[in-house]
Amino acid sequence: MVDVDYYSFRQLLKEATDRGGRIETRDTERWNAYIKTHKLNATAARAIAATRFDSPDSVIIDLGGDRDGLYVYSDLEEGCLHLEYQS
């Protein structure tokens, strides 16, 4: 999990919302397909974020770029983490 500037993330989230690239957990079909395709461990990412934030939210950004992926954030604490794999 990598720290992301919260305000940059909010701009990215708005862009993803406007372009249809925001995937929420309640959109189970798209969420599960993205998780499976990209082999992400959303449960572990959320557990890590829970050590930093009181009530984190998860979202997937899917715009077809290098900023895509799973983000866990807290509006209350103005913080954001991005799941990145080290190669």
Side-chain angles (χ1 to χ4, degrees):
M1 299 295 288
V2 176
D3 279 306
V4 175
D5 176 70
Y6 175 77
Y7 299 100
S8 297
F9 163 73
R10 292 303 299 181
Q11 287 181 309
L12 175 62
L13 189 61
K14 182 182 179 333
E15 179 184 346
T17 301
D18 293 346
R19 294 178 47 200
R22 177 179 180 163
I23 305 172
E24 300 282 345
T25 55
R26 65 180 173 261
D27 186 354
T28 55
E29 187 175 316
R30 287 178 66 204
W31 180 273
N32 290 337
Y34 190 95
I35 294 292
K36 183 177 181 180
T37 299
H38 295 87
K39 298 179 175 79
L40 301 178
N41 189 339
T43 304
R46 189 165 171 85
I48 291 167
T51 66
R52 297 266 312 269
F53 309 128
D54 285 332
S55 56
D57 292 311
S58 301
V59 67
I60 291 172
I61 304 293
D62 187 15
L63 295 173
D66 60 345
R67 300 177 300 168
D68 286 1
L70 176 66
Y71 291 82
V72 186
Y73 65 98
S74 170
D75 288 328
L76 179 65
E77 295 154 294
E78 297 183 347
C80 181
L81 298 171
H82 181 217
L83 179 61
E84 291 186 8
Y85 289 106
Q86 302 297 323
S87 51

